[in-house]
């Protein structure tokens, strides 16, 4: 899968990130209407996905893969639960416009703003994160940086060409009567599944 | 389209009666400062952040050609087509050719002020394109055939009911006026436009030179669609969006969402560098191809501004709209009135002048009342009111003043005797001056000449001006600690002579010998504010001559605007070899009354809270607080005078006077004054104090009609009264 960088991890400033920043990240993310689930193991993450799919009545999932998702066995879990699952590029292009859930991985979280940084150079990454009404992302809860400047320090090191988005909550607008309304063009729900254990 | 011949007063009246605008905008301007403050809580040192943004942007504009070349080279290296467009016509031609090569006719746009500026959507439609404005606010105003009335909230002037009608008509079914339902209906309805579009057109919030990258900041997700689904992506970006490095973009992003909407970051902050993959269907199969990416750098007079020593400052703008959100005038009339073809508010006036030209600017620039509130929040620290004044000066240089104003300035303002005898005549009979051929005179002279007074009684010209009383009140103290020359200003001289007396008493009480040079005249502000620096210089020379004779240690004024103007004489006359040195020495001696007296009280150990006085609420004059930086001193003096200080809501929000503005745009001025009256009333204080003679006139006028039991006093009056009390009860 095409990426802006295949090695984000080695560009984190030593001591500049860690799970100790997670509570602040979680608070800020929830303030921005993100749903946050912190789990110990990737398998528990898969349980969260299935429960979300069940409660939302989701029948079709499009997903790009990440190490955490692979460890969680998302594809097998969905199929076992009778949910249509599409994971390769062409089928994602075909099904993303009608999928109920898109699943992807993110590189890190930002405590200051409750954002997640996603490398979406690959077209399939963007399709799963833009078109379905629910977007679920897997995050390593150890990879939280403190601030927006720290995030840009990292991006400055890895970014030469590509496509990167900092996502902060679901899509929103206040364009009618200055009333905050969630769910415009992008996803109506953003769900972060933060996994403590390394895959 | 902007009207060719605008009647601003009529527009103001209409907007003030438009309920949706008043309700939505009122709600937003009320809520904005709270949201902004909450978002700044975890931003660290906000002042340091603003300074860093200002510095980075100022350094960038100083080498804008080099930065633009670098951006172009880096983007080109990565496969982007970069085009530098001199104006809108070139942009349109470029896009038409591009679309022609691909047989593309369907365009989806995300929000971009640059495309508004050149009317891109209209041009493309005239050439047979289907153009979808996908930002919700932009889509709404597109359906309504309106222009944006706010940089961030373009449809803020419409109600849910109006939007419901527009949506029902467009979608061909009834869309109930439930906001959430309307937005979700629009989401479904517009989805096909994204999926079918050939070209996605976006703006850019930042362009990064070192990697040829663009940054998009959105909440709705439409820009991500427009850069993901169509096979061609066109970016239209003004030169002012360029920064050198990725970390510079990070600096802007720490501030832009916080200042714009009170968000820590918007839902989507996207960096795109070089063409990215796109999926297209070929013979029934999905295949990955490379999206064409075009970046158009739009000049439209921006580069000319970049090379102007003063106006390159506009490059410090990050387009957050915070200046609009705190503007007292914008908060009432919105961007359709206080705005030009594309850009609204004070910054909009400047951008309009630079981009569209002076004639568009001249129609609405007067709505900037110079209260400097915007300068407290602007992330790029732009001197918006200062730049507007500079534009006025340039307009006068180019075109001269209207004939009658010219006559008036030459024959009246530049001649103290004529000016003062007119003021004296006014005390006897204000009426003849306020009618017939003298109407223009009334508009341009200090405002006590006006007759319009529905919710505000206008001050009478005093029977005995201060200059006739000076000799009675001036008493040389024994062993004075210095000599203070009093510059009264026209208002204190002819309208508030009692306050003039208080100033003298207070200065004498702290040990100064006071002198009042009789040859002094107007400080020149009403003339310089109209852009006429030549007459201002003549006035300055009259004052310099008058003060040269008295050899004072300090020159004191109780009017912040006079202080500013007197302080500027050195700069004003720097090219006049005869007066240069005198002017510089004069300006160096000028002191604002309340801060000067506070310093003396401090030295003499008198700056202590005492009791026994009335309850007082303090109004900050815009210029005293934001230009001269004085706001703690008057409060401490009030408490030292034994008064109980009760803070009002928004003590530093303009009272609506603002010189000529208060007379010309009476309804607007009265609405602003009305808010102030309410805030004063709510404190329950017996007295409202300020340290500015201009504000005193406006507030006193409002109190007379609306809150008659509260009295208006200058800090000098309060101090003089406490001195009197002390003398009587030692």
């Amino acid at each position: 899968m095409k990426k802006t960088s295949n090695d984000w991890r080695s560009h984190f400033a030593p001591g500049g990130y860690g799970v100790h920043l997670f509570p602040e990240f979680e608070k800020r993310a929830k303030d921005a209407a993100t749903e946050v689930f912190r789990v110990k193991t990737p398998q528990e993450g898969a349980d969260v996905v299935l429960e979300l799919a069940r409660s939302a009545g989701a029948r079709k999932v499009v997903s790009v893969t990440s190490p955490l998702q692979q460890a969680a066995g998302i594809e097998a879990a969905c199929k076992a639960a009778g949910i249509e699952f599409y994971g390769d590029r062409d089928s994602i292009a075909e099904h993303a416009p009608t999928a109920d859930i898109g699943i992807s991985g993110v590189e890190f979280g930002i405590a200051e703003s409750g954002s997640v940084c996603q490398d979406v150079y690959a077209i399939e990454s963007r399709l799963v994160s833009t078109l379905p009404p629910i977007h679920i992302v897997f995050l390593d809860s150890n990879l939280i940086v403190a601030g927006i400047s720290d995030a840009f320090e990292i991006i400055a090191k890895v970014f030469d060409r590509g496509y990167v988005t900092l996502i902060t909550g679901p899509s929103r607008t206040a364009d009618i009567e200055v009333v905050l309304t969630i769910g415009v063009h992008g996803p109506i729900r953003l769900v972060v599944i933060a996994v403590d254990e390394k895959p | 389209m902007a009207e060719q011949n605008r009647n601003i007063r009529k527009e103001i009246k209409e907007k003030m009666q438009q309920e949706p605008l008043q309700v939505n905008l009122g709600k937003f301007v009320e809520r904005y400062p709270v949201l902004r403050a909450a978002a700044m809580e975890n931003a660290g040192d906000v002042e340091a952040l603003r300074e860093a943004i200002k510095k980075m942007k100022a350094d960038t504009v100083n080498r804008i050609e080099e930065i633009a070349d670098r951006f172009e080279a880096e983007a080109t290296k990565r496969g982007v087509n970069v085009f530098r467009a001199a104006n809108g016509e070139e942009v349109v031609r470029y896009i038409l050719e591009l679309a022609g090569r691909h047989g593309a006719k369907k365009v989806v746009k995300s929000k971009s002020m640059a495309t508004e500026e050149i009317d891109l959507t209209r041009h493309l439609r005239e050439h047979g394109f289907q153009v979808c404005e996908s930002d919700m606010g932009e889509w709404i105003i597109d359906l309504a055939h309106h222009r944006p009335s706010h940089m961030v909230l373009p449809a803020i002037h419409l109600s849910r009911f109006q939007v419901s009608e527009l949506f029902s008509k467009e979608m061909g079914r009834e869309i109930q006026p439930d906001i959430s339902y309307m937005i979700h209906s629009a989401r479904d309805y517009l989805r096909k436009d994204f999926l079918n579009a050939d070209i996605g057109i976006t703006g850019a919030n930042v362009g990064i030179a070192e990697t040829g990258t663009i940054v998009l900041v959105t909440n709705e997700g439409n820009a991500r669609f427009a850069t993901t689904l169509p096979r061609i992506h066109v970016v239209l970006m003004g030169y002012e969006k360029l920064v050198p490095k990725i970390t510079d973009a990070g600096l802007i992003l720490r501030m832009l969402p916080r200042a714009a909407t009170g968000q820590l970051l918007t839902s989507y902050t996207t960096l795109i560098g070089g063409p990215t993959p796109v999926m297209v269907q070929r013979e029934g199969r999905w295949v990955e191809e490379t999206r064409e990416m075009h970046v158009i750098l739009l000049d439209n007079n921006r580069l000319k501004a970049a090379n102007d020593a003063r106006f390159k400052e506009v490059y410090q703008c990050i387009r957050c709209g915070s200046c609009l959100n705190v503007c007292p005038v914008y908060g009432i009339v919105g961007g359709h009135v206080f705005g030009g073809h594309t850009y609204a508010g004070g910054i909009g006036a400047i951008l309009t002048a630079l981009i569209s030209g002076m004639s568009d600017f001249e129609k609405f620039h007067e709505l900037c009342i110079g209260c400097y509130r915007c300068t407290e929040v602007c992330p790029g620290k732009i001197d918006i009111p200062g730049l507007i004044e500079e534009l006025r000066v340039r307009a006068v240089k180019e075109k001269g003043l209207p004939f009658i104003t010219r006559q008036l300035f030459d024959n009246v303002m530049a001649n103290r005797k004529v000016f003062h005898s007119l003021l004296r005549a006014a005390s006897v009979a204000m009426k003849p001056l306020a009618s017939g051929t003298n109407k223009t005179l009334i508009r341009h002279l200090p405002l006590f000449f006006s007759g319009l007074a529905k919710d505000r009684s206008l001050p009478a010209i005093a029977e005995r001006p201060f200059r006739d009383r000076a000799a009675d009140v001036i008493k040389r103290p024994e062993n004075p600690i210095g000599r203070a020359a009093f510059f009264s200003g026209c208002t204190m001289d002819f309208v508030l002579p009692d306050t003039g007396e208080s100033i003298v008493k207070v200065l004498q009480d702290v040990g100064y010998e006071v002198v009042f040079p009789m040859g002094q005249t107007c400080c020149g502000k009403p003339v310089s504010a109209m852009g006429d620096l030549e007459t201002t210089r003549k006035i300055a020379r009259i004052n310099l001559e008058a003060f040269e004779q008295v050899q004072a240690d300090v020159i004191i004024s109780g009017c912040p605007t006079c202080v500013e103007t007197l302080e500027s004489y050195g700069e004003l006359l720097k090219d006049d070899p005869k007066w240069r040195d005198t002017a510089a020495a004069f300006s160096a001696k000028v002191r604002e009354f309340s801060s000067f007296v506070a310093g003396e009280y401090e030295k003499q150990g008198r700056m202590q809270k005492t009791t026994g006085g009335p309850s007082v609420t303090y109004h900050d004059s815009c210029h005293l607080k934001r230009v001269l930086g004085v706001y703690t001193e008057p409060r401490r003096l009030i408490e030292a005078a034994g008064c109980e200080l009760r803070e009002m809501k928004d003590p530093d929000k303009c009272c609506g006077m603002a010189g000529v503005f208060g007379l010309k745009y009476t309804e607007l001025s009265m609405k602003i004054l009305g808010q102030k009256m309410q805030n004063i009333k709510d404190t329950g204080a017996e007295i409202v104090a300020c340290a500015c003679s201009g504000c005193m006139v406006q507030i006193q006028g409002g109190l007379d009609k609306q809150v008659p039991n509260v009295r208006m006093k200058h800090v000098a009056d309060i101090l003089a009264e406490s001195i009197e009390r002390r003398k009587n009860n030692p």
Side-chain angles (χ1 to χ4, degrees), chain B residues 115-134:
Chain B
T115 61
E116 290 281 346
E117 181 184 316
I118 61 168
D119 288 319
L120 182 62
T121 301
R122 180 170 60 83
H123 285 296
L124 291 179
R125 284 185 182 150
E126 281 169 8
H127 285 88
F129 283 75
Q130 274 181 40
V131 183
C132 167
E133 295 281 359
S134 66

Side-chain angles (χ1 to χ4, degrees), chain B residues 36 50 310 313 322-329 338 346-347 350 367-379 381-392 525 528-529 560-561 564-565 567-568 620-630 652-656 658:
Chain B
R36 183 182 188 276
R50 292 175 68 207
R310 191 78 204 274
E313 204 174 323
S322 56
C323 53
L324 310 182
N325 302 342
V326 300
C327 170
V329 173
F338 193 2
I347 189 73
I350 301 163
L367 294 178
C368 169
I369 55 179
C371 76
Y372 284 84
R373 257 193 144 204
C374 49
T375 62
E376 288 188 320
V377 295
C378 173
K381 300 184 83 168
I382 301 174
D383 178 11
I384 295 170
L387 291 180
I388 290 177
E389 275 207 16
E390 176 67 20
L391 283 166
R392 288 172 187 156
K525 184 69 194 181
S528 69
T561 314
E564 263 179 82
T565 312
E567 281 180 343
S568 75
D620 288 283
S621 134
C622 294
H623 284 243
L624 185 55
K625 182 174 183 202
R626 285 182 282 268
V627 180
L628 300 179
V630 175
D652 64 348
K653 196 167 173 182
C654 182
C655 63

Side-chain angles (χ1 to χ4, degrees), chain B residues 404-446:
Chain B
I404 295 179
T405 314
R406 171 88 276 147
Q407 292 292 309
L408 199 88
F409 283 4
D410 286 350
N411 299 327
V412 179
M413 294 308 285
N415 185 326
R416 182 191 71 80
K417 283 189 179 149
V418 173
F419 176 45
H420 283 169
S421 46
L422 272 174
L423 287 170
R424 284 175 191 276
S427 82
V428 182
M430 287 180 83
K431 212 176 166 204
L433 274 163
S435 62
T437 52
N438 287 311
K439 265 187 184 147
T440 318
L441 175 113
I442 289 153
R443 187 195 292 174
H444 294 296
L445 283 185

Side-chain angles (χ1 to χ4, degrees), chain B residues 73-107:
Chain B
E74 296 295 334
T76 307
K77 202 165 87 187
R78 288 166 178 79
V80 178
N81 303 282
V82 179
F83 174 64
R84 301 210 189 186
N87 51 41
E89 267 171 55
E90 290 193 5
V91 174
V92 174
R93 202 179 314 139
Y94 183 86
I95 295 176
L96 290 179
E97 280 174 22
L98 167 67
R101 284 201 301 276
H102 293 272
K105 278 288 177 192
K106 290 178 186 156
V107 172

